Amino acid sequence: MNTFTKRGSYPHPVLDASDDVGSSIEVVNVTIAPSVDDVEIKFQVRMSDPDIQSLMDDGTARYSFRWTCSSTIASGEVSASVHQQHVDGSTYIGWIDQQDIRGTVKVEIRIIATSPVDPYSLQNQHSDYAGASFSILPGDVLADGGFFEFEPEKRYDPLSPPVGSCFRFIADPKLKKGLKVKFFDDEHVLVAFPEKTLPGFGLLQERPDLQISLVVLPALMQTISFIKENLAAESEGEDLSGKKWYTAVNRLVQESGSYEDHSFELAQKILGHPLDASLMKPFDGLGDE
């Protein structure tokens, strides 16, 4: 029985930025091209391990291009295809629906097993593994190429006006119930969920009217109230002028009314009265027959 020291966070050698495997994988030449309906993503993957390449050639392993968006809590696989072959890899091209993303989008590049592999051993694995072999199951990560991030110049935003770009939705392990709105970040107002409820918010991506009514509306109300409190405090209040979310919200307030208006009424007006839209949704189409 072979003994070895477990390296990194995987129980088997993984090709990544560490020295588990004496080969390389990297992502280069990333280009983003937004359109009205989709965002086109093009990137080149260089991978030099012959054993892993052999597994991909026979269909035992494949690339996984997983994207996540922290603003919309949406995620998925980029169904990318080979756009161009290179001596040391390939350039891939794929698309993400514009309606699914807003703000920063993260794309993770991995090679995962599609079938069991037993024994699994790489000729270039680190000497700490000696001659060890492993049992690989479908879904196990064989190579981790890291990730890249981008912010598409969107030509369409499902939230109109584009107040959604002001908010970022995160999980807070210390929060057990309800939501908490935080204003310390310079880029976004952070809306914190308990870890167990954040996935439920993401599942509402097909009903943006409910996402806006249940979460964005109260978060915007609290944001407007926070700005009002700081303006009323004058010299003793926090200086918000350097925060991008303040600039965006302040512009929307000026376009829709003033800080003299009630926060609830002002937030409803900015968001286009989302409660009305949500309550009318079940009745759409009734009476048309």
Side-chain angles (χ1 to χ4, degrees):
M1 178 177 181
N2 293 313
T3 60
F4 60 93
T5 302
K6 178 180 175 182
R7 303 172 60 83
S9 58
Y10 300 98
H12 57 271
V14 170
L15 174 59
D16 57 13
S18 70
D19 61 352
D20 272 11
V21 182
S23 305
S24 64
I25 182 171
E26 64 175 340
V27 179
V28 296
N29 301 327
V30 178
T31 60
I32 307 298
S35 66
V36 174
D37 297 316
D38 303 291
V39 175
E40 180 188 279
I41 306 171
K42 191 184 296 183
F43 53 92
Q44 181 180 350
V45 183
R46 295 171 178 165
M47 201 281 296
S48 66
D49 191 84
D51 295 316
I52 295 178
Q53 184 62 55
S54 177
L55 292 175
M56 289 197 293
D57 290 342
D58 66 19
T60 306
R62 67 170 179 86
Y63 274 113
S64 168
F65 307 125
R66 184 79 180 173
W67 65 268
T68 55
C69 179
S70 61
S71 294
T72 62
I73 319 300
S75 63
E77 285 276 341
V78 179
S79 297
S81 58
V82 175
H83 178 71
Q84 184 178 358
Q85 294 279 8
H86 307 281
V87 174
D88 57 352
S90 302
T91 292
Y92 293 85
I93 187 170
W95 292 265
I96 301 177
D97 193 318
Q98 279 276 19
Q99 297 190 52
D100 290 337
I101 56 177
R102 183 174 62 254
T104 302
V105 180
K106 180 178 182 180
V107 180
E108 297 176 284
I109 291 82
R110 292 177 173 176
I111 297 175
I112 61 174
T114 59
S115 303
V117 183
D118 190 4
Y120 174 74
S121 181
L122 303 176
Q123 58 182 301
N124 291 332
Q125 66 193 35
H126 194 278
S127 58
D128 280 3
Y129 290 106
S133 60
F134 310 85
S135 295
I136 299 297
L137 297 176
D140 282 353
V141 176
L142 308 184
D144 187 343
F147 66 89
F148 62 85
E149 294 180 327
F150 67 92
E151 294 196 22
E153 297 177 2
K154 296 190 64 174
R155 300 177 188 176
Y156 171 80
D157 195 316
L159 294 182
S160 181
V163 70
S165 60
C166 303
F167 295 95
R168 184 178 180 188
F169 307 106
I170 61 173
D172 184 347
K174 296 181 180 179
L175 194 61
K176 302 305 179 184
K177 292 183 178 181
L179 302 177
K180 189 171 184 179
V181 184
K182 305 178 182 182
F183 303 104
F184 64 84
D185 189 78
D186 290 339
E187 299 285 334
H188 306 91
V189 174
L190 302 181
V191 182
F193 289 72
E195 288 185 316
K196 62 181 180 181
T197 62
L198 183 59
F201 178 68
L203 292 175
L204 288 175
Q205 62 182 348
E206 299 298 326
R207 288 291 306 274
D209 56 309
L210 290 179
Q211 288 182 319
I212 297 170
S213 298
L214 294 173
V215 177
V216 179
L217 177 61
L220 181 58
M221 287 171 52
Q222 190 167 340
T223 301
I224 293 172
S225 297
F226 179 77
I227 294 173
K228 285 183 178 182
E229 292 171 3
N230 280 275
L231 292 176
E234 297 180 346
S235 60
E236 297 180 3
E238 181 180 349
D239 182 11
L240 303 177
S241 60
K243 297 184 181 295
K244 291 185 178 181
W245 59 262
Y246 166 73
T247 301
V249 172
N250 187 55
R251 174 178 55 80
L252 291 169
V253 168
Q254 301 303 326
E255 292 174 353
S256 302
S258 73
Y259 288 111
E260 298 297 323
D261 299 331
H262 192 282
S263 297
F264 179 54
E265 298 296 333
L266 191 54
Q268 286 191 96
K269 190 173 182 181
I270 290 173
L271 293 171
H273 298 279
L275 290 173
D276 293 349
S278 295
L279 293 173
M280 289 299 297
K281 187 85 173 180
F283 304 102
D284 286 352
L286 293 182
D288 293 342
E289 298 180 357

